[in-house]
Amino acid sequence: MKELDVLKNNWQKQKAASEIKMDEGKITESALSMLKKFEKKIFRINAVKTAGIIIAVILLIYTMLIATPPTVFKTAAVAVLLISITVFWTRYLKLQLKTAKFNVKENSVDFIDEVLKNFSAQREFFKKDFKVFGAVLIAALNIIYLDLLNGMPGLERIGFHTVMSALLIAVLFLGIKFRMRRFRNENAPIEKELIKIKDDLKESL
Amino acid sequence: MSSEEKEKLFNEVFKENKDRIFRLCYTSLNNKDEVDDLFQEVMANVWRSLDGFRNESKISTWIYRITVNSALLFNKRYKTKSGRFQNLEPHELEEMHAGSPFEKSLDDDLKNLHKAIAELGKQDRIIIGLFLEGTSYEEISEIVGISQNYVGVKINRIKTALAKTMGGME
């Protein structure tokens, strides 16, 4: 029997049994695993955001309707805010990536199309729906200010409304910019890789 | 890293390391029949992790670490999924799969060495696999997550165990 150090040389000459290529199933599995990781990350971020929204809504209701006497204007504004936040957030959460819904086994290429469609819908949501939500938010907060600033000279009131609205527009603008940057940094590389995988799969079919 | 650069790097990594990865996959596995699946899983993991490779460690260390982690997970998954092999001893599994193309290409000494390695525990199989690839103690220590001194102790113990199993090898 030869010594281990001699066998070591022979050991390193052993070749892989065959030219193994990445098969379709493994590529799909790899893509799916990457998406699941991304989905988990987004889920955690959204859980924190949801908690933040709930706290903000509770504080808003408490400040506007419990700690201070409720008025028609404040109640209407809070109602508008509650409805718009609920609609916006539900739509947003519904648009999130859910890998469990993908029919991977039946057709390994189709799920890539579903993901790409989903990412595109998310992008559109921020480009269009978020602006509508922003407009509703500004309108509701202006209604609240209309009530809170009651009794103040007209010019000052206009100043307050203008500054507050301008600030909100700036915040919303930055929010959209930030979201688009995240799309570019996080979603776009995944999209690019999925398109590449899809092309590779098509070639191998 | 652009997708073209990534693909180029992956092809280089694949070309340079496929035999090494294959051998380490084979050595680490409980069931040698699964070697192709594990190999492909390792390559898929290498592809996914390429963006995160920062040149902070040697590419071989990085690849070995991916291989070792994939193998450990793979063995764990296989153990959970497949009940029918659970009661078999490593040498029995070895006998079941003695006819694979890889094994047929080996000479008797290497066949015996593979058989003896299959009798070892999972961490020892990985350590000796890395040692036989010519990996330094420092790298093995980094990959497996034990101290360099302990790597030395382990290798000596493994050598003794292999000599005992193979009969007469020093």
Side-chain angles (χ1 to χ4, degrees), chain A residues 140-199:
Chain A
L141 288 176
N142 271 302
I143 296 171
I144 291 175
Y145 267 82
L146 207 63
D147 189 81
L148 289 178
L149 304 178
N150 199 9
M152 200 182 259
L155 211 61
E156 273 183 52
R157 284 180 74 167
I158 292 168
F160 260 106
H161 281 286
T162 313
V163 169
M164 191 269 300
S165 302
L167 272 174
L168 274 173
I169 289 167
V171 168
L172 289 169
F173 178 76
L174 285 175
I176 293 172
K177 274 260 177 206
F178 178 74
R179 196 67 189 81
M180 288 304 151
R181 204 180 69 178
R182 268 188 59 199
F183 271 128
R184 271 198 305 277
N185 294 342
E186 293 176 7
N187 294 42
I190 294 177
E191 281 174 316
K192 215 173 166 185
E193 190 156 340
L194 286 174
I195 291 167
K196 175 87 185 57
I197 289 172
K198 194 180 151 188
D199 291 344

Side-chain angles (χ1 to χ4, degrees), chain A residues 58-80:
Chain A
I58 291 170
L59 279 175
L60 181 80
I61 293 171
Y62 178 79
T63 324
M64 292 294 132
L65 306 177
I66 300 167
T68 55
T71 61
V72 177
F73 275 134
K74 280 200 289 184
T75 313
V78 169
V80 169

Side-chain angles (χ1 to χ4, degrees), chain A residues 12 14 16 23 193 196, chain B residues 7 19 23 40 47 114 132:
Chain A
Q12 289 171 21
Q14 299 172 93
D23 70 29
E193 190 156 340
K196 175 87 185 57
Chain B
E7 199 171 334
D19 292 329
R23 289 192 293 267
Q40 288 186 10
W47 170 260
H114 274 293
L132 288 165

Side-chain angles (χ1 to χ4, degrees), chain A residues 2-11 13, chain B residues 109-110:
Chain A
K2 289 173 188 167
E3 284 185 14
L4 197 60
D5 287 328
V6 179
L7 284 175
K8 201 170 167 181
N9 289 327
N10 293 340
W11 180 275
K13 288 176 193 157
Chain B
D109 286 331
L110 284 176

Side-chain angles (χ1 to χ4, degrees), chain B residues 42-122:
Chain B
V42 170
M43 293 321 296
N45 288 340
V46 167
W47 170 260
R48 273 209 308 272
S49 312
L50 266 183
D51 289 324
F53 178 64
R54 297 275 178 268
N55 276 320
E56 282 160 3
S57 58
K58 277 170 71 178
I59 195 142
S60 60
T61 312
W62 179 75
I63 286 169
Y64 286 151
R65 198 182 297 130
I66 292 177
T67 310
V68 166
N69 290 338
S70 309
L72 290 174
L73 279 173
F74 194 92
N75 277 333
K76 202 172 162 187
R77 216 164 51 219
Y78 178 79
K79 201 176 165 187
T80 341
K81 276 184 186 171
S82 166
R84 69 196 172 105
F85 295 119
Q86 275 185 22
N87 299 325
L88 294 180
E89 293 296 323
H91 71 271
E92 288 175 307
L93 281 171
E94 202 66 32
E95 281 160 18
M96 271 177 66
H97 308 298
S100 71
F102 177 70
E103 296 212 359
K104 279 177 184 164
S105 71
L106 304 175
D107 64 25
D108 287 343
D109 286 331
L110 284 176
K111 268 183 195 164
N112 288 337
L113 181 57
H114 274 293
K115 272 184 191 172
I117 290 173
E119 305 268 344
L120 299 170
K122 57 184 174 187

